[in-house]
Amino acid sequence: MASCALLATNNPCLPASPRLIRDKCGRRLCLCAPSRSRRRLAHSGGLCSTPKGQNNVELVREDVFELDDGEKRKKEWLHFVGIGGSGLSALAMLALKQGFEVSGSDIMWSSFLDKLCTAGARLYIGHSVSNMENRNGSRLPNAIIVSSAVPSDNEEVAYANSVGIPIYKRDVWLRKITEHYNLIAISGTHGKSTTAAMLSYVLNAMGDNLIAVVGANVPQFAGGNIIAGDGPNFVLEADEYDCCFIGLAPQIAVVTNVEWDHVDIFPNEEAVKKIFREFVHQIKDGGHLILCGDSAGACDLLGEDQQGTSPGRKRLANSNHEYHVTTYGISSKNDWHASSITSNLQGGLDYVLHHKGCPVSNISLMLPGDHNVLNSLAVIATITTLVDNKRHLHDTINAISHHMTKFQGVSRRFELIGKINGCHIYDDYAHHPAEVRAVLHAARQKFPSQALWVVFQPHTYSRLAALMKDFTTAFTDADYVIVTEIYAAREINIWNSDGRDLANSIIGPSSEYISRLEDVVDVLAAKVPSSRNQETIILTLGAGDITTLGPKLLGRLQHSS
């Protein structure tokens, strides 16, 4: 944790109070010098109610502010409720970089908060009305932005409502901050974070002074999960959870794939497709849809008369306007496709890039897995669409290829935690059957003959119950699987789901159920071979606190070696 977030206790890992964070001087707020103001919010009035059933916060005061460049005007204060999550933390960091005063609260500390604190945000653990008051109580936030995970009866939200502070749900705020930019929205059930990060990294390296907001930490970004340029391009990871991408108006929309997930929001796959159709129909007139043609769910977004048409002639229309469609994938039917995929010495993959059936370049990635080949194809298709200069297509591809070779990925995506005595420990965010299958296939490509052990923490009771059949066949590339208790997140167990059920149902590798992460560390530490000549690959998978297991296991092995 950053020094400015030291708590009023000798233990820097545990808050002294469930309500707030103190710095080492005992002050209630962790306050660092903010960056210089670029934009501000100015009153313009107006109210808007969000649809019931879609958002937890029903009252949203939209168009209360306008974004402008009044640097000499008094800086506005934004308060983020649920600031510790990947989505809201990125928006808070962007606001800081653009010159706003930022505060925020959450129920627990997260890794995203370290950089926010260092950048100058005032952060609180626990929700309280006092979090929204400045030191002398004479001033309130100019607006609050609320995470999708925050319920409507949250006391900070209720108080803001009672005193007339404008309230923005995350989806409304996203629409507000992107509406005057050339928006490139990266959507899909899987691969959004890596694709958005790779696209932003390559564009930035090519000299585009873009803005980017990614829902994961990107080690190569100075801002962690954002790039705070001056535009006009704005790359956004557009999340379907809680229908957050509805209302965006992208110039370019990317759909990496469409599958059933977030089963607490969408009752079936058709419900997911319906919301994605609504999203792509919001593409601006004359804009572009970049779509993975290898994904059956993504292809279903196209009308039947558009599926299977010849490359370069696809065009989709709705009642108001039309937009172009470009497909990518490993299959040769796509406008952009990859062939001759092979492993390289970087631990990633090389492939031959084709455009409309013709080979145009050799591409090399540091990242393993066919899913990352697809992610890179999405980036190539997007940038060539953005540049839109056929005479310089070859030069554009060469520039993309050069910078793509240097992209190192995002945190918690096949992330190496450490190595010791032939044991390699990796961590990955995979928590859906398709993601588990993809990352294990990537691991097997990278380590074809090594023992591959997996620790999987199921994420939410509803997801495990709904997708159990797919989970049972997702681990076939592993040699040994440990399943832990379910990470409940926002749910209570009305489905009677249990990690033990999955452990007993996995088809292929040997598997067992070990409920507590602490016990998993003990079991693995005893099982890991002591010989340096016996390589073992351990993958920790899940979207919960499973990410703490790898460092603990590494420390245990280092201590005993």
Side-chain angles (χ1 to χ4, degrees):
M1 193 176 296
S3 61
C4 64
L6 290 177
L7 310 175
T9 172
N10 291 328
N11 186 344
C13 300
L14 297 174
S17 163
R19 285 294 177 191
L20 55 88
I21 291 176
R22 299 180 184 273
D23 65 14
K24 61 185 178 181
C25 300
R27 292 173 296 196
R28 296 178 62 250
L29 310 177
C30 59
L31 177 62
C32 303
S35 58
R36 192 166 64 98
S37 174
R38 284 205 195 112
R39 293 180 175 86
R40 64 176 296 278
L41 297 176
H43 291 278
S44 64
L47 291 175
C48 175
S49 295
T50 59
K52 293 184 179 181
Q54 280 192 0
N55 297 301
N56 291 328
V57 182
E58 295 179 0
L59 178 62
V60 178
R61 299 168 186 268
E62 193 177 3
D63 296 324
V64 174
F65 297 124
E66 284 186 3
L67 298 167
D68 62 40
D69 293 311
E71 277 194 47
K72 296 181 179 179
R73 307 285 297 274
K74 183 178 179 181
K75 184 166 54 181
E76 305 289 349
W77 172 14
L78 304 179
H79 182 74
F80 292 78
V81 184
I83 196 171
S86 60
L88 223 62
S89 64
L91 298 179
M93 180 63 81
L94 180 62
L96 275 169
K97 295 296 184 181
Q98 292 180 332
F100 296 112
E101 181 182 345
V102 169
S103 63
S105 61
D106 215 316
I107 58 174
M108 62 184 298
W109 191 269
S110 76
S111 59
F112 292 107
L113 297 183
D114 294 332
K115 288 188 176 181
L116 277 172
C117 181
T118 301
R122 300 193 304 274
L123 304 174
Y124 305 88
I125 297 303
H127 298 299
S128 170
V129 171
S130 64
N131 297 344
M132 301 165 60
E133 299 172 348
N134 67 349
R135 294 182 184 180
N136 59 17
S138 62
R139 184 174 167 229
L140 294 172
N142 299 92
I144 71 169
I145 298 90
V146 184
S147 165
S148 301
V150 172
S152 57
D153 61 354
N154 175 277
E155 58 186 296
E156 294 179 17
V157 176
Y159 177 71
N161 233 343
S162 69
V163 298
I165 299 174
I167 303 169
Y168 288 85
K169 195 75 183 298
R170 182 162 69 106
D171 58 339
V172 180
W173 187 250
L174 284 172
R175 180 170 71 243
K176 193 70 179 172
I177 66 173
T178 60
E179 62 185 353
H180 299 303
Y181 291 94
N182 182 43
L183 177 61
I184 306 165
I186 313 300
S187 73
T189 308
H190 322 293
K192 295 184 294 291
S193 295
T194 300
T195 302
M198 186 186 298
L199 173 63
S200 302
Y201 173 82
V202 173
L203 282 175
N204 187 60
M206 290 173 67
D208 187 1
N209 190 22
L210 77 159
I211 300 170
V213 174
V214 180
N217 181 62
V218 187
Q220 290 172 289
F221 288 4
N225 47 0
I226 65 135
I227 296 175
D230 288 327
N233 293 323
F234 194 129
V235 175
L236 174 69
E237 179 179 339
D239 189 4
E240 77 275 16
Y241 181 75
D242 202 20
C243 309
C244 270
F245 59 10
I246 297 303
L248 298 175
Q251 181 67 31
I252 299 176
V254 176
V255 180
T256 60
N257 42 64
V258 177
E259 293 189 57
W260 187 25
D261 194 16
H262 302 305
V263 301
D264 55 331
I265 300 291
F266 305 109
N268 50 47
E269 186 172 4
E270 187 53 43
V272 179
K273 292 177 184 177
K274 181 179 179 182
I275 202 68
F276 269 93
R277 288 190 190 101
E278 188 174 343
F279 165 66
V280 301
H281 286 165
Q282 296 169 164
I283 296 171
K284 289 182 178 179
D285 190 20
H288 287 79
L289 170 62
I290 311 293
L291 179 139
C292 180
D294 291 355
S295 166
C299 288
D300 282 349
L301 303 181
L302 303 175
E304 291 184 5
D305 59 328
Q306 299 295 329
Q307 296 185 28
T309 57
S310 59
R313 296 180 59 190
K314 299 185 182 75
R315 187 177 292 269
L316 235 175
N318 64 22
S319 59
N320 298 318
H321 61 272
E322 58 185 13
Y323 47 88
H324 306 274
V325 180
T326 299
T327 63
Y328 67 90
I330 294 174
S331 169
S332 60
K333 69 180 181 180
N334 295 291
D335 299 337
W336 294 93
H337 84 272
S339 71
S340 306
I341 301 172
T342 57
S343 299
N344 60 35
L345 296 178
Q346 292 180 295
L349 295 174
D350 295 339
Y351 65 88
V352 178
L353 173 68
H354 297 256
H355 183 230
K356 298 184 178 180
C358 299
V360 294
S361 184
N362 295 316
I363 304 296
S364 184
L365 304 174
M366 295 179 66
L367 309 180
D370 290 350
H371 59 295
N372 280 314
V373 171
L374 291 173
N375 294 337
S376 68
L377 288 168
V379 170
I380 292 168
T382 302
I383 295 179
T384 53
T385 295
L386 191 64
V387 173
D388 195 26
N389 190 330
K390 293 180 175 58
R391 290 184 301 173
H392 298 290
L393 180 62
H394 185 71
D395 292 338
T396 300
I397 296 295
N398 284 342
I400 296 170
S401 175
H402 172 72
H403 296 299
M404 194 175 283
T405 303
K406 301 176 183 179
F407 178 66
Q408 299 170 7
V410 303
S411 298
R412 299 221 62 216
R413 305 308 190 273
F414 208 80
E415 179 180 5
L416 178 63
I417 302 302
K419 304 177 185 178
I420 182 170
N421 295 342
C423 178
H424 305 236
I425 303 172
Y426 287 85
D427 181 49
D428 196 276
Y429 189 66
H431 55 285
H432 183 280
E435 296 166 353
V436 171
R437 192 175 290 110
V439 72
L440 293 186
H441 181 64
R444 189 50 77 196
Q445 283 180 320
K446 189 178 179 72
F447 303 104
S449 58
Q450 290 87 337
L452 180 56
W453 298 356
V454 175
V455 183
F456 178 63
Q457 182 186 58
H459 187 265
T460 71
Y461 302 109
S462 60
R463 181 181 284 110
L464 183 60
L467 305 178
M468 175 67 82
K469 183 178 179 180
D470 291 332
F471 272 120
T472 61
T473 60
F475 297 87
T476 53
D477 276 312
D479 297 303
Y480 169 57
V481 180
I482 294 174
V483 181
T484 74
E485 185 51 273
I486 298 168
Y487 187 84
R490 52 195 172 269
E491 295 181 344
I492 58 175
N493 192 6
I494 62 174
W495 294 268
N496 198 29
S497 298
D498 192 285
R500 190 188 309 273
D501 298 332
L502 175 58
N504 293 336
S505 304
I506 288 175
I507 298 172
S510 62
S511 57
E512 65 175 311
Y513 173 72
I514 303 175
S515 175
R516 294 171 3 108
L517 296 182
E518 294 83 357
D519 296 334
V520 175
V521 173
D522 295 337
V523 169
L524 289 178
K527 283 181 175 286
V528 171
S530 58
S531 172
R532 297 174 184 268
N533 297 323
Q534 293 179 266
E535 282 196 310
T536 303
I537 312 304
I538 298 178
L539 266 169
T540 60
L541 306 180
D545 58 358
I546 184 73
T547 189
T548 63
L549 190 147
K552 289 178 181 178
L553 176 60
L554 181 64
R556 177 77 65 85
L557 295 175
Q558 290 171 335
H559 181 73
S560 60
S561 64

